[in-house]
Amino acid sequence: MEVNSIMNGSLPPRKFLAPEIILGNGCRSLIGQYVLSLSGRKIFLISDPGVIKAGWAGEVADELNSREYDVLIYDKVSPNPRSAEVMQGAETYIEEGCDVIVAVGGGSPMDCGKAIGAVVSNQCNVLELEGVDEVALPAPPIICIPTTAGSSADVSQVAVISDEKRRRKFGIISKTMLPDLALIDPETTVTMSPELTASTGMNALCHAFESYVSNASSVMTDMYALEATKLVSEYLPKAYDDPDNIMFRDKVMLGSMYAGLAFSNASLGLVHSMAHSLGGYLDSPHGECNAQLLEHVVAFNYP
Ligand SMILES: [Fe+2]
C-alpha cells in the first residue's frame, strides 16, 4: 500500500506555498520595520481578550505607536470566530481607514483577521467565501504573530470561521489567505495555561499526522510532517510539565510551524472534518475536539 509519496517511486507535480517567515525569540519586536516596508499607516491590530490580558497585543501596539503608527485594537473575537465578528471587523476596518492587518494571538484572531482581509477586498459576506479558491481578490497586507503553538494560521492558506446561525464551521481555502509575514516568536507561548498548551499542541500533532497520511501529501510536505510529529510528541508533554522552559517552548513552536507548512499544502483528513463539525455544533475548543477524535480515526483508517 502506498501511504505517501516517499514510498511511491514517481515524483508527481506538487506545489508548495509559504509566507515570509521570521522565527526566533524576540522577533516580534521587528513588527515596526515590517509595517514600514508595507507602507502601512493605520494598523488594524486584531487580538482577543486573553492575549490582551497576557500583554502581547499591548506590547506590539506600543512598538507600533513608538514609530508613530496609528493603531486600532479590535478584540471582538470568540474562541471559535463567528461570521458576524468577521463582518463587524471588516466594517470597522473600512470605517477607520486601516491599511494593514496585524493579528496577535492564537488561531482565532489570526483566522478572523485573514477573513476580515478577504471581506474588505472582495466586498462580500464572509459566507460567500466558503470553499476552495473562492477569494478572487487578495486581502490587504497581513502580518501574524502567533501566541499559541498549534493552529499555524500564520503560515497556512486556510481560515476557519463559525457560521453561528447554522451551527457549523466552514473553511476559506485560497492562496490569497496566506499571510504576508509570520513573526513566530516562541517566547509568546509561555503565558499559555497547561490546558491551552495541551489542546493547541494536540492540534499541531493532528496537523502533522493528517497531512502525512493525506492523499495530497508530497515529498515537500512529508519532510515537515515527520519532523513535526517527532518534535511535538517529544516536547509537548515536557512543555506541559515545565511551562517556563523556553527550550521546550521553542521545540513545540517549531513543530507547530512544520506541521502548519505540511497541512497547508497537503490538506487534512477525517479528524479535522469531524472536529469542525463538533466544534461548530458545540462551540468546543478545536484542539480538544481533535485530540478526542484522533485515535478513533486512526483505528478506522488503518486497514
Ligand atoms: Fe487544526
Side-chain angles (χ1 to χ4, degrees):
M1 183 177 66
E2 287 167 358
V3 175
N4 62 55
S5 52
I6 284 178
M7 296 168 76
N8 182 343
S10 71
L11 194 59
R14 297 282 197 212
K15 71 175 176 179
F16 188 92
L17 289 167
E20 181 175 355
I21 295 172
I22 308 225
L23 169 74
N25 288 303
C27 73
R28 63 191 184 279
S29 67
L30 299 173
I31 185 71
Q33 75 186 59
Y34 272 91
V35 169
L36 180 68
S37 73
L38 294 169
S39 306
R41 286 184 308 277
K42 181 146 187 185
I43 317 305
F44 185 86
L45 195 161
I46 183 163
S47 190
D48 67 33
V51 176
I52 290 172
K53 196 174 166 203
W56 302 121
E59 194 188 277
V60 170
D62 288 347
E63 174 66 26
L64 291 167
N65 284 325
S66 75
R67 289 176 176 255
E68 298 186 355
Y69 292 113
D70 240 351
V71 181
L72 175 93
I73 297 183
Y74 184 80
D75 70 348
K76 295 177 188 71
V77 183
S78 305
N80 289 308
R82 298 167 187 180
S83 61
E85 293 164 349
V86 173
M87 297 313 293
Q88 175 67 52
E91 211 178 299
T92 307
Y93 181 100
I94 293 165
E95 273 171 13
E96 297 285 337
C98 298
D99 50 15
V100 171
I101 298 172
V102 173
V104 183
S108 314
M110 291 194 285
D111 277 359
C112 195
K114 287 160 71 172
I116 287 170
V119 168
V120 165
S121 291
N122 291 278
Q123 297 185 16
C124 63
N125 192 293
V126 67
L127 300 174
E128 294 166 42
L129 301 174
E130 175 175 355
V132 180
D133 292 338
E134 295 295 332
V135 184
L137 299 171
I142 175 160
I143 299 175
C144 289
I145 303 180
T147 61
T148 63
S151 79
S152 298
D154 47 296
V155 297
S156 85
Q157 308 173 57
V158 182
V160 178
I161 301 298
S162 282
D163 177 348
E164 58 276 35
K165 288 207 178 95
R166 289 186 292 168
R167 292 179 74 186
R168 61 188 283 275
K169 287 184 171 188
F170 63 96
I172 306 169
I173 302 154
S174 161
K175 69 178 175 185
T176 62
M177 299 303 282
L178 205 62
D180 293 86
L181 172 70
L183 289 175
I184 304 176
D185 188 335
E187 272 175 10
T188 63
T189 63
V190 296
T191 49
M192 279 195 290
S193 66
E195 293 73 26
L196 192 59
T197 300
S199 67
T200 52
M202 283 304 293
N203 186 23
L205 185 68
C206 290
H207 291 159
F209 205 100
E210 292 209 276
S211 51
Y212 187 68
V213 299
S214 165
N215 293 336
S217 67
S218 74
V219 288
M220 294 180 283
T221 59
D222 286 345
M223 172 176 84
Y224 286 113
L226 283 173
E227 192 58 26
T229 308
K230 286 183 203 157
L231 285 166
V232 177
S233 52
E234 181 174 352
Y235 290 100
L236 180 59
K238 293 179 180 173
Y240 180 86
D241 288 336
D242 186 2
D244 295 326
N245 185 312
I246 192 68
M247 194 270 273
F248 297 156
R249 295 291 192 179
D250 284 353
K251 299 283 189 187
V252 180
M253 186 60 116
L254 185 61
S256 168
M257 184 192 82
Y258 286 163
L261 291 170
F263 96 77
S264 174
N265 290 283
S267 195
L268 292 164
L270 273 182
V271 174
H272 268 75
S273 305
M274 293 167 75
H276 287 154
S277 300
L278 199 57
Y281 192 69
L282 299 176
D283 203 21
S284 324
H286 173 64
E288 258 181 60
C289 295
N290 282 329
Q292 287 171 14
L293 290 160
L294 180 63
E295 64 174 307
H296 304 291
V297 170
V298 170
F300 175 81
N301 274 337
Y302 192 79

